Amino acid sequence: MNFKSYEYTEEQLQQRIEQIIAEQTQISDRKESLARIFQSIDFTTLEAFDNEEKINEFCAKALAFPKQEPYLSVPAICIYSPFVKQAKQLLAGSGIHVATVACAFPSGQMPFDLKVKEVEYCVGQGADEVDMVISRGTFLAGNYDEVFNEIKTIKATCKDAHLKVILETGELKTVANIRKASELAILAGADFIKTSTGKVPVAATPLAAIIMIDTIKEYYEATGKKVGFKPAGGMKTPEDAMTYYYLVKGILGEQWLNKNLFRVGTSRLAGQIIEMLK
């Protein structure tokens, strides 16, 4: 399909963001919204000092959430690939998916054949979801076909695992670039498009989110196919996470407010949200 020309300015988008948030704040139940956000958190540890002991503790914490609040559970944990097999064993039967990052996360700078081998390894270890990061250098050089073909090949390599494509919108910067990257990822077969790695100074922003969500909506209206959305990084308060929830609800509607189509990368807020729901 051919996407329509996207002619919003940053000022127009900011006005829309403010209007949607104001409307949703009035009509949405706060506790229900917070519960749904919790149920969309990809509980994540991506630190250089991660090790087997830490992953044991991390998985135990993920499993403990439903015991603290019977109606709450995270949909997935996200970890580095050496720990996927370990986590799969620890989480067996829990319903919690194991996601991992790939394609030279967070830089995206690696020969493509090695990116494919990395994803093959992740899938072979049992990953349910793969979060790949695009090469921003390749994209910003205007080599769009190369970016598209990389995503398409990685999607095929994922087999039954779901693919989240990280655009790293803080480095794409402009409305036009974020829109173009969203289109490429969706057309190449992404199951989700994701704002950020959380490893650069500018992570998720409402501006990037609304551009990505608009692209998802246009694709759905043209094809009937649903693509998920995940903001990640930069959320310091539950209200920050609520902003993205409201944008998805206001633009895409209730049908997107589930773990299959909406995820949030904000592990630091999990405990705060549970306290607010008590």
Side-chain angles (χ1 to χ4, degrees), residues 46-81:
L46 294 170
E47 302 296 342
F49 50 81
D50 287 343
N51 54 38
E52 288 186 6
E53 182 180 355
K54 185 181 176 186
I55 297 303
N56 284 338
E57 295 171 354
F58 188 73
C59 289
K61 190 172 182 179
L63 289 168
F65 284 129
K67 295 177 183 177
Q68 294 170 353
E69 295 288 341
Y71 55 90
L72 292 180
S73 177
V74 293
I77 65 163
C78 186
I79 55 177
Y80 280 123
S81 59

PDB file of all heavy atoms in Angstrom, residues 46-81:
ATOM      1  N   LEU A  46      18.221  -4.715  31.166  1.00  0.00           N
ATOM      2  CA  LEU A  46      19.202  -4.729  30.080  1.00  0.00           C
ATOM      3  C   LEU A  46      20.443  -3.969  30.555  1.00  0.00           C
ATOM      4  O   LEU A  46      20.755  -2.877  30.088  1.00  0.00           O
ATOM      5  CB  LEU A  46      18.623  -4.085  28.813  1.00  0.00           C
ATOM      6  CG  LEU A  46      17.458  -4.833  28.155  1.00  0.00           C
ATOM      7  CD1 LEU A  46      16.815  -3.976  27.069  1.00  0.00           C
ATOM      8  CD2 LEU A  46      17.926  -6.169  27.563  1.00  0.00           C
ATOM      9  N   GLU A  47      21.126  -4.563  31.518  1.00  0.00           N
ATOM     10  CA  GLU A  47      22.301  -3.933  32.114  1.00  0.00           C
ATOM     11  C   GLU A  47      23.546  -4.771  31.851  1.00  0.00           C
ATOM     12  O   GLU A  47      23.477  -6.008  31.760  1.00  0.00           O
ATOM     13  CB  GLU A  47      22.112  -3.766  33.628  1.00  0.00           C
ATOM     14  CG  GLU A  47      20.895  -2.951  34.025  1.00  0.00           C
ATOM     15  CD  GLU A  47      20.954  -1.502  33.570  1.00  0.00           C
ATOM     16  OE1 GLU A  47      22.071  -1.020  33.245  1.00  0.00           O
ATOM     17  OE2 GLU A  47      19.899  -0.850  33.540  1.00  0.00           O
ATOM     18  N   ALA A  48      24.679  -4.110  31.764  1.00  0.00           N
ATOM     19  CA  ALA A  48      25.933  -4.814  31.504  1.00  0.00           C
ATOM     20  C   ALA A  48      26.298  -5.783  32.621  1.00  0.00           C
ATOM     21  O   ALA A  48      27.026  -6.751  32.396  1.00  0.00           O
ATOM     22  CB  ALA A  48      27.060  -3.800  31.296  1.00  0.00           C
ATOM     23  N   PHE A  49      25.768  -5.526  33.820  1.00  0.00           N
ATOM     24  CA  PHE A  49      26.114  -6.382  34.959  1.00  0.00           C
ATOM     25  C   PHE A  49      25.081  -7.479  35.208  1.00  0.00           C
ATOM     26  O   PHE A  49      25.123  -8.156  36.227  1.00  0.00           O
ATOM     27  CB  PHE A  49      26.315  -5.549  36.222  1.00  0.00           C
ATOM     28  CG  PHE A  49      25.195  -4.592  36.511  1.00  0.00           C
ATOM     29  CD1 PHE A  49      24.020  -5.015  37.121  1.00  0.00           C
ATOM     30  CD2 PHE A  49      25.309  -3.257  36.154  1.00  0.00           C
ATOM     31  CE1 PHE A  49      22.991  -4.138  37.385  1.00  0.00           C
ATOM     32  CE2 PHE A  49      24.280  -2.367  36.417  1.00  0.00           C
ATOM     33  CZ  PHE A  49      23.114  -2.803  37.035  1.00  0.00           C
ATOM     34  N   ASP A  50      24.142  -7.685  34.289  1.00  0.00           N
ATOM     35  CA  ASP A  50      23.208  -8.805  34.420  1.00  0.00           C
ATOM     36  C   ASP A  50      23.981 -10.126  34.422  1.00  0.00           C
ATOM     37  O   ASP A  50      24.974 -10.280  33.695  1.00  0.00           O
ATOM     38  CB  ASP A  50      22.200  -8.811  33.269  1.00  0.00           C
ATOM     39  CG  ASP A  50      21.162  -7.707  33.383  1.00  0.00           C
ATOM     40  OD1 ASP A  50      21.018  -7.148  34.478  1.00  0.00           O
ATOM     41  OD2 ASP A  50      20.509  -7.410  32.368  1.00  0.00           O
ATOM     42  N   ASN A  51      23.520 -11.066  35.245  1.00  0.00           N
ATOM     43  CA  ASN A  51      24.137 -12.390  35.303  1.00  0.00           C
ATOM     44  C   ASN A  51      23.063 -13.400  35.698  1.00  0.00           C
ATOM     45  O   ASN A  51      21.899 -13.032  35.899  1.00  0.00           O
ATOM     46  CB  ASN A  51      25.316 -12.403  36.289  1.00  0.00           C
ATOM     47  CG  ASN A  51      24.930 -11.913  37.674  1.00  0.00           C
ATOM     48  OD1 ASN A  51      23.829 -12.206  38.160  1.00  0.00           O
ATOM     49  ND2 ASN A  51      25.810 -11.161  38.317  1.00  0.00           N
ATOM     50  N   GLU A  52      23.433 -14.675  35.797  1.00  0.00           N
ATOM     51  CA  GLU A  52      22.441 -15.713  36.065  1.00  0.00           C
ATOM     52  C   GLU A  52      21.708 -15.484  37.384  1.00  0.00           C
ATOM     53  O   GLU A  52      20.494 -15.672  37.470  1.00  0.00           O
ATOM     54  CB  GLU A  52      23.110 -17.092  36.071  1.00  0.00           C
ATOM     55  CG  GLU A  52      23.531 -17.554  34.678  1.00  0.00           C
ATOM     56  CD  GLU A  52      24.050 -18.975  34.690  1.00  0.00           C
ATOM     57  OE1 GLU A  52      23.981 -19.628  35.751  1.00  0.00           O
ATOM     58  OE2 GLU A  52      24.510 -19.444  33.633  1.00  0.00           O
ATOM     59  N   GLU A  53      22.444 -15.075  38.410  1.00  0.00           N
ATOM     60  CA  GLU A  53      21.806 -14.842  39.705  1.00  0.00           C
ATOM     61  C   GLU A  53      20.789 -13.711  39.622  1.00  0.00           C
ATOM     62  O   GLU A  53      19.684 -13.815  40.166  1.00  0.00           O
ATOM     63  CB  GLU A  53      22.871 -14.510  40.753  1.00  0.00           C
ATOM     64  CG  GLU A  53      22.294 -14.295  42.145  1.00  0.00           C
ATOM     65  CD  GLU A  53      23.359 -13.978  43.177  1.00  0.00           C
ATOM     66  OE1 GLU A  53      24.555 -14.012  42.832  1.00  0.00           O
ATOM     67  OE2 GLU A  53      22.983 -13.690  44.333  1.00  0.00           O
ATOM     68  N   LYS A  54      21.164 -12.638  38.927  1.00  0.00           N
ATOM     69  CA  LYS A  54      20.240 -11.513  38.806  1.00  0.00           C
ATOM     70  C   LYS A  54      18.988 -11.904  38.015  1.00  0.00           C
ATOM     71  O   LYS A  54      17.877 -11.482  38.338  1.00  0.00           O
ATOM     72  CB  LYS A  54      20.919 -10.316  38.136  1.00  0.00           C
ATOM     73  CG  LYS A  54      20.026  -9.086  38.109  1.00  0.00           C
ATOM     74  CD  LYS A  54      20.652  -7.899  37.441  1.00  0.00           C
ATOM     75  CE  LYS A  54      19.644  -6.749  37.365  1.00  0.00           C
ATOM     76  NZ  LYS A  54      20.163  -5.597  36.596  1.00  0.00           N
ATOM     77  N   ILE A  55      19.169 -12.712  36.975  1.00  0.00           N
ATOM     78  CA  ILE A  55      18.013 -13.152  36.185  1.00  0.00           C
ATOM     79  C   ILE A  55      17.099 -14.041  37.017  1.00  0.00           C
ATOM     80  O   ILE A  55      15.865 -13.965  36.906  1.00  0.00           O
ATOM     81  CB  ILE A  55      18.473 -13.867  34.898  1.00  0.00           C
ATOM     82  CG1 ILE A  55      19.266 -12.904  34.003  1.00  0.00           C
ATOM     83  CG2 ILE A  55      17.271 -14.423  34.131  1.00  0.00           C
ATOM     84  CD1 ILE A  55      18.544 -11.636  33.604  1.00  0.00           C
ATOM     85  N   ASN A  56      17.670 -14.879  37.872  1.00  0.00           N
ATOM     86  CA  ASN A  56      16.848 -15.683  38.794  1.00  0.00           C
ATOM     87  C   ASN A  56      15.975 -14.783  39.654  1.00  0.00           C
ATOM     88  O   ASN A  56      14.766 -15.007  39.813  1.00  0.00           O
ATOM     89  CB  ASN A  56      17.736 -16.540  39.699  1.00  0.00           C
ATOM     90  CG  ASN A  56      18.312 -17.753  38.985  1.00  0.00           C
ATOM     91  OD1 ASN A  56      17.776 -18.198  37.973  1.00  0.00           O
ATOM     92  ND2 ASN A  56      19.401 -18.289  39.507  1.00  0.00           N
ATOM     93  N   GLU A  57      16.580 -13.756  40.215  1.00  0.00           N
ATOM     94  CA  GLU A  57      15.858 -12.822  41.082  1.00  0.00           C
ATOM     95  C   GLU A  57      14.829 -12.030  40.283  1.00  0.00           C
ATOM     96  O   GLU A  57      13.714 -11.773  40.763  1.00  0.00           O
ATOM     97  CB  GLU A  57      16.849 -11.877  41.761  1.00  0.00           C
ATOM     98  CG  GLU A  57      17.801 -12.576  42.727  1.00  0.00           C
ATOM     99  CD  GLU A  57      18.906 -11.661  43.231  1.00  0.00           C
ATOM    100  OE1 GLU A  57      18.992 -10.511  42.741  1.00  0.00           O
ATOM    101  OE2 GLU A  57      19.681 -12.095  44.093  1.00  0.00           O
ATOM    102  N   PHE A  58      15.209 -11.643  39.080  1.00  0.00           N
ATOM    103  CA  PHE A  58      14.328 -10.837  38.230  1.00  0.00           C
ATOM    104  C   PHE A  58      13.081 -11.620  37.837  1.00  0.00           C
ATOM    105  O   PHE A  58      11.958 -11.106  37.910  1.00  0.00           O
ATOM    106  CB  PHE A  58      15.104 -10.400  36.986  1.00  0.00           C
ATOM    107  CG  PHE A  58      14.378  -9.408  36.126  1.00  0.00           C
ATOM    108  CD1 PHE A  58      14.224  -8.096  36.530  1.00  0.00           C
ATOM    109  CD2 PHE A  58      13.854  -9.798  34.905  1.00  0.00           C
ATOM    110  CE1 PHE A  58      13.550  -7.178  35.728  1.00  0.00           C
ATOM    111  CE2 PHE A  58      13.178  -8.893  34.105  1.00  0.00           C
ATOM    112  CZ  PHE A  58      13.028  -7.581  34.519  1.00  0.00           C
ATOM    113  N   CYS A  59      13.269 -12.867  37.443  1.00  0.00           N
ATOM    114  CA  CYS A  59      12.124 -13.708  37.078  1.00  0.00           C
ATOM    115  C   CYS A  59      11.229 -13.967  38.285  1.00  0.00           C
ATOM    116  O   CYS A  59       9.996 -13.981  38.168  1.00  0.00           O
ATOM    117  CB  CYS A  59      12.601 -15.025  36.478  1.00  0.00           C
ATOM    118  SG  CYS A  59      13.323 -14.863  34.818  1.00  0.00           S
ATOM    119  N   ALA A  60      11.849 -14.157  39.452  1.00  0.00           N
ATOM    120  CA  ALA A  60      11.059 -14.365  40.673  1.00  0.00           C
ATOM    121  C   ALA A  60      10.199 -13.135  40.967  1.00  0.00           C
ATOM    122  O   ALA A  60       9.041 -13.259  41.392  1.00  0.00           O
ATOM    123  CB  ALA A  60      11.988 -14.655  41.850  1.00  0.00           C
ATOM    124  N   LYS A  61      10.750 -11.965  40.729  1.00  0.00           N
ATOM    125  CA  LYS A  61       9.995 -10.731  40.947  1.00  0.00           C
ATOM    126  C   LYS A  61       8.826 -10.635  39.972  1.00  0.00           C
ATOM    127  O   LYS A  61       7.711 -10.248  40.350  1.00  0.00           O
ATOM    128  CB  LYS A  61      10.915  -9.520  40.796  1.00  0.00           C
ATOM    129  CG  LYS A  61      10.286  -8.222  41.235  1.00  0.00           C
ATOM    130  CD  LYS A  61      11.312  -7.092  41.239  1.00  0.00           C
ATOM    131  CE  LYS A  61      10.682  -5.786  41.740  1.00  0.00           C
ATOM    132  NZ  LYS A  61      11.677  -4.685  41.762  1.00  0.00           N
ATOM    133  N   ALA A  62       9.067 -10.991  38.707  1.00  0.00           N
ATOM    134  CA  ALA A  62       7.989 -10.969  37.708  1.00  0.00           C
ATOM    135  C   ALA A  62       6.878 -11.937  38.087  1.00  0.00           C
ATOM    136  O   ALA A  62       5.692 -11.633  37.941  1.00  0.00           O
ATOM    137  CB  ALA A  62       8.543 -11.305  36.328  1.00  0.00           C
ATOM    138  N   LEU A  63       7.267 -13.099  38.590  1.00  0.00           N
ATOM    139  CA  LEU A  63       6.269 -14.102  38.995  1.00  0.00           C
ATOM    140  C   LEU A  63       5.509 -13.681  40.243  1.00  0.00           C
ATOM    141  O   LEU A  63       4.384 -14.127  40.467  1.00  0.00           O
ATOM    142  CB  LEU A  63       6.965 -15.440  39.241  1.00  0.00           C
ATOM    143  CG  LEU A  63       7.476 -16.176  38.001  1.00  0.00           C
ATOM    144  CD1 LEU A  63       8.394 -17.314  38.409  1.00  0.00           C
ATOM    145  CD2 LEU A  63       6.320 -16.691  37.163  1.00  0.00           C
ATOM    146  N   ALA A  64       6.111 -12.841  41.057  1.00  0.00           N
ATOM    147  CA  ALA A  64       5.476 -12.449  42.319  1.00  0.00           C
ATOM    148  C   ALA A  64       4.381 -11.412  42.133  1.00  0.00           C
ATOM    149  O   ALA A  64       3.512 -11.280  42.998  1.00  0.00           O
ATOM    150  CB  ALA A  64       6.535 -11.903  43.283  1.00  0.00           C
ATOM    151  N   PHE A  65       4.380 -10.688  41.036  1.00  0.00           N
ATOM    152  CA  PHE A  65       3.378  -9.634  40.851  1.00  0.00           C
ATOM    153  C   PHE A  65       1.943 -10.130  40.997  1.00  0.00           C
ATOM    154  O   PHE A  65       1.151  -9.516  41.702  1.00  0.00           O
ATOM    155  CB  PHE A  65       3.558  -8.939  39.502  1.00  0.00           C
ATOM    156  CG  PHE A  65       4.706  -7.975  39.458  1.00  0.00           C
ATOM    157  CD1 PHE A  65       5.650  -8.040  38.444  1.00  0.00           C
ATOM    158  CD2 PHE A  65       4.849  -6.984  40.415  1.00  0.00           C
ATOM    159  CE1 PHE A  65       6.702  -7.149  38.384  1.00  0.00           C
ATOM    160  CE2 PHE A  65       5.905  -6.085  40.373  1.00  0.00           C
ATOM    161  CZ  PHE A  65       6.835  -6.175  39.351  1.00  0.00           C
ATOM    162  N   PRO A  66       1.558 -11.232  40.351  1.00  0.00           N
ATOM    163  CA  PRO A  66       0.165 -11.681  40.489  1.00  0.00           C
ATOM    164  C   PRO A  66      -0.209 -12.024  41.928  1.00  0.00           C
ATOM    165  O   PRO A  66      -1.373 -11.949  42.305  1.00  0.00           O
ATOM    166  CB  PRO A  66       0.116 -12.921  39.587  1.00  0.00           C
ATOM    167  CG  PRO A  66       1.246 -12.761  38.649  1.00  0.00           C
ATOM    168  CD  PRO A  66       2.314 -12.063  39.427  1.00  0.00           C
ATOM    169  N   LYS A  67       0.772 -12.426  42.736  1.00  0.00           N
ATOM    170  CA  LYS A  67       0.495 -12.760  44.137  1.00  0.00           C
ATOM    171  C   LYS A  67       0.230 -11.498  44.948  1.00  0.00           C
ATOM    172  O   LYS A  67      -0.543 -11.493  45.898  1.00  0.00           O
ATOM    173  CB  LYS A  67       1.678 -13.530  44.723  1.00  0.00           C
ATOM    174  CG  LYS A  67       1.904 -14.881  44.064  1.00  0.00           C
ATOM    175  CD  LYS A  67       3.126 -15.572  44.644  1.00  0.00           C
ATOM    176  CE  LYS A  67       3.396 -16.893  43.920  1.00  0.00           C
ATOM    177  NZ  LYS A  67       4.618 -17.547  44.417  1.00  0.00           N
ATOM    178  N   GLN A  68       0.904 -10.395  44.542  1.00  0.00           N
ATOM    179  CA  GLN A  68       0.684  -9.134  45.244  1.00  0.00           C
ATOM    180  C   GLN A  68      -0.686  -8.556  44.902  1.00  0.00           C
ATOM    181  O   GLN A  68      -1.374  -8.013  45.736  1.00  0.00           O
ATOM    182  CB  GLN A  68       1.793  -8.136  44.860  1.00  0.00           C
ATOM    183  CG  GLN A  68       3.164  -8.568  45.357  1.00  0.00           C
ATOM    184  CD  GLN A  68       4.272  -7.725  44.767  1.00  0.00           C
ATOM    185  OE1 GLN A  68       4.060  -6.900  43.894  1.00  0.00           O
ATOM    186  NE2 GLN A  68       5.479  -7.936  45.252  1.00  0.00           N
ATOM    187  N   GLU A  69      -1.049  -8.649  43.650  1.00  0.00           N
ATOM    188  CA  GLU A  69      -2.348  -8.164  43.181  1.00  0.00           C
ATOM    189  C   GLU A  69      -2.899  -9.248  42.251  1.00  0.00           C
ATOM    190  O   GLU A  69      -2.405  -9.397  41.142  1.00  0.00           O
ATOM    191  CB  GLU A  69      -2.196  -6.837  42.426  1.00  0.00           C
ATOM    192  CG  GLU A  69      -1.704  -5.693  43.290  1.00  0.00           C
ATOM    193  CD  GLU A  69      -2.754  -5.205  44.266  1.00  0.00           C
ATOM    194  OE1 GLU A  69      -3.947  -5.483  44.048  1.00  0.00           O
ATOM    195  OE2 GLU A  69      -2.385  -4.561  45.250  1.00  0.00           O
ATOM    196  N   PRO A  70      -3.900 -10.020  42.649  1.00  0.00           N
ATOM    197  CA  PRO A  70      -4.344 -11.173  41.859  1.00  0.00           C
ATOM    198  C   PRO A  70      -4.694 -10.873  40.406  1.00  0.00           C
ATOM    199  O   PRO A  70      -4.570 -11.746  39.563  1.00  0.00           O
ATOM    200  CB  PRO A  70      -5.570 -11.652  42.633  1.00  0.00           C
ATOM    201  CG  PRO A  70      -5.341 -11.181  44.030  1.00  0.00           C
ATOM    202  CD  PRO A  70      -4.632  -9.867  43.906  1.00  0.00           C
ATOM    203  N   TYR A  71      -5.119  -9.645  40.103  1.00  0.00           N
ATOM    204  CA  TYR A  71      -5.524  -9.346  38.739  1.00  0.00           C
ATOM    205  C   TYR A  71      -4.405  -8.720  37.929  1.00  0.00           C
ATOM    206  O   TYR A  71      -4.618  -8.270  36.808  1.00  0.00           O
ATOM    207  CB  TYR A  71      -6.734  -8.403  38.757  1.00  0.00           C
ATOM    208  CG  TYR A  71      -6.529  -7.137  39.547  1.00  0.00           C
ATOM    209  CD1 TYR A  71      -6.036  -5.994  38.954  1.00  0.00           C
ATOM    210  CD2 TYR A  71      -6.823  -7.098  40.907  1.00  0.00           C
ATOM    211  CE1 TYR A  71      -5.845  -4.838  39.689  1.00  0.00           C
ATOM    212  CE2 TYR A  71      -6.624  -5.948  41.651  1.00  0.00           C
ATOM    213  CZ  TYR A  71      -6.140  -4.820  41.033  1.00  0.00           C
ATOM    214  OH  TYR A  71      -5.942  -3.678  41.766  1.00  0.00           O
ATOM    215  N   LEU A  72      -3.202  -8.650  38.480  1.00  0.00           N
ATOM    216  CA  LEU A  72      -2.104  -8.010  37.784  1.00  0.00           C
ATOM    217  C   LEU A  72      -1.000  -8.996  37.442  1.00  0.00           C
ATOM    218  O   LEU A  72      -0.586  -9.801  38.268  1.00  0.00           O
ATOM    219  CB  LEU A  72      -1.508  -6.878  38.627  1.00  0.00           C
ATOM    220  CG  LEU A  72      -2.384  -5.649  38.859  1.00  0.00           C
ATOM    221  CD1 LEU A  72      -1.654  -4.641  39.711  1.00  0.00           C
ATOM    222  CD2 LEU A  72      -2.811  -5.024  37.539  1.00  0.00           C
ATOM    223  N   SER A  73      -0.497  -8.913  36.219  1.00  0.00           N
ATOM    224  CA  SER A  73       0.672  -9.671  35.801  1.00  0.00           C
ATOM    225  C   SER A  73       1.288  -8.965  34.609  1.00  0.00           C
ATOM    226  O   SER A  73       0.565  -8.402  33.771  1.00  0.00           O
ATOM    227  CB  SER A  73       0.292 -11.102  35.414  1.00  0.00           C
ATOM    228  OG  SER A  73       1.417 -11.809  34.955  1.00  0.00           O
ATOM    229  N   VAL A  74       2.608  -8.959  34.533  1.00  0.00           N
ATOM    230  CA  VAL A  74       3.255  -8.380  33.353  1.00  0.00           C
ATOM    231  C   VAL A  74       3.145  -9.379  32.205  1.00  0.00           C
ATOM    232  O   VAL A  74       3.145 -10.597  32.418  1.00  0.00           O
ATOM    233  CB  VAL A  74       4.731  -8.038  33.632  1.00  0.00           C
ATOM    234  CG1 VAL A  74       4.832  -6.916  34.647  1.00  0.00           C
ATOM    235  CG2 VAL A  74       5.534  -9.252  34.089  1.00  0.00           C
ATOM    236  N   PRO A  75       3.033  -8.895  30.956  1.00  0.00           N
ATOM    237  CA  PRO A  75       2.907  -9.814  29.821  1.00  0.00           C
ATOM    238  C   PRO A  75       4.219 -10.457  29.401  1.00  0.00           C
ATOM    239  O   PRO A  75       4.229 -11.533  28.804  1.00  0.00           O
ATOM    240  CB  PRO A  75       2.362  -8.919  28.712  1.00  0.00           C
ATOM    241  CG  PRO A  75       2.883  -7.560  29.052  1.00  0.00           C
ATOM    242  CD  PRO A  75       2.875  -7.492  30.559  1.00  0.00           C
ATOM    243  N   ALA A  76       5.348  -9.763  29.700  1.00  0.00           N
ATOM    244  CA  ALA A  76       6.640 -10.270  29.239  1.00  0.00           C
ATOM    245  C   ALA A  76       7.761  -9.676  30.076  1.00  0.00           C
ATOM    246  O   ALA A  76       7.611  -8.618  30.687  1.00  0.00           O
ATOM    247  CB  ALA A  76       6.853  -9.923  27.768  1.00  0.00           C
ATOM    248  N   ILE A  77       8.879 -10.399  30.106  1.00  0.00           N
ATOM    249  CA  ILE A  77      10.120  -9.805  30.573  1.00  0.00           C
ATOM    250  C   ILE A  77      11.007  -9.608  29.350  1.00  0.00           C
ATOM    251  O   ILE A  77      10.864 -10.314  28.341  1.00  0.00           O
ATOM    252  CB  ILE A  77      10.842 -10.673  31.621  1.00  0.00           C
ATOM    253  CG1 ILE A  77      11.318 -11.999  31.007  1.00  0.00           C
ATOM    254  CG2 ILE A  77       9.950 -10.924  32.833  1.00  0.00           C
ATOM    255  CD1 ILE A  77      12.366 -12.697  31.833  1.00  0.00           C
ATOM    256  N   CYS A  78      11.918  -8.642  29.422  1.00  0.00           N
ATOM    257  CA  CYS A  78      12.847  -8.399  28.319  1.00  0.00           C
ATOM    258  C   CYS A  78      14.264  -8.424  28.878  1.00  0.00           C
ATOM    259  O   CYS A  78      14.584  -7.661  29.801  1.00  0.00           O
ATOM    260  CB  CYS A  78      12.548  -7.065  27.646  1.00  0.00           C
ATOM    261  SG  CYS A  78      13.545  -6.782  26.153  1.00  0.00           S
ATOM    262  N   ILE A  79      15.098  -9.303  28.317  1.00  0.00           N
ATOM    263  CA  ILE A  79      16.440  -9.539  28.832  1.00  0.00           C
ATOM    264  C   ILE A  79      17.412  -9.725  27.672  1.00  0.00           C
ATOM    265  O   ILE A  79      17.001  -9.893  26.518  1.00  0.00           O
ATOM    266  CB  ILE A  79      16.469 -10.795  29.729  1.00  0.00           C
ATOM    267  CG1 ILE A  79      15.906 -11.999  28.955  1.00  0.00           C
ATOM    268  CG2 ILE A  79      15.678 -10.567  31.011  1.00  0.00           C
ATOM    269  CD1 ILE A  79      15.932 -13.305  29.697  1.00  0.00           C
ATOM    270  N   TYR A  80      18.692  -9.721  27.995  1.00  0.00           N
ATOM    271  CA  TYR A  80      19.691 -10.010  26.965  1.00  0.00           C
ATOM    272  C   TYR A  80      19.652 -11.490  26.577  1.00  0.00           C
ATOM    273  O   TYR A  80      19.291 -12.364  27.375  1.00  0.00           O
ATOM    274  CB  TYR A  80      21.085  -9.634  27.452  1.00  0.00           C
ATOM    275  CG  TYR A  80      21.385  -8.155  27.349  1.00  0.00           C
ATOM    276  CD1 TYR A  80      21.763  -7.424  28.474  1.00  0.00           C
ATOM    277  CD2 TYR A  80      21.307  -7.486  26.128  1.00  0.00           C
ATOM    278  CE1 TYR A  80      22.052  -6.064  28.382  1.00  0.00           C
ATOM    279  CE2 TYR A  80      21.593  -6.132  26.029  1.00  0.00           C
ATOM    280  CZ  TYR A  80      21.967  -5.419  27.158  1.00  0.00           C
ATOM    281  OH  TYR A  80      22.244  -4.087  27.066  1.00  0.00           O
ATOM    282  N   SER A  81      20.071 -11.767  25.353  1.00  0.00           N
ATOM    283  CA  SER A  81      19.918 -13.102  24.766  1.00  0.00           C
ATOM    284  C   SER A  81      20.617 -14.245  25.517  1.00  0.00           C
ATOM    285  O   SER A  81      20.100 -15.370  25.499  1.00  0.00           O
ATOM    286  CB  SER A  81      20.372 -13.090  23.301  1.00  0.00           C
ATOM    287  OG  SER A  81      21.724 -12.678  23.187  1.00  0.00           O
TER     288      SER A  81
END
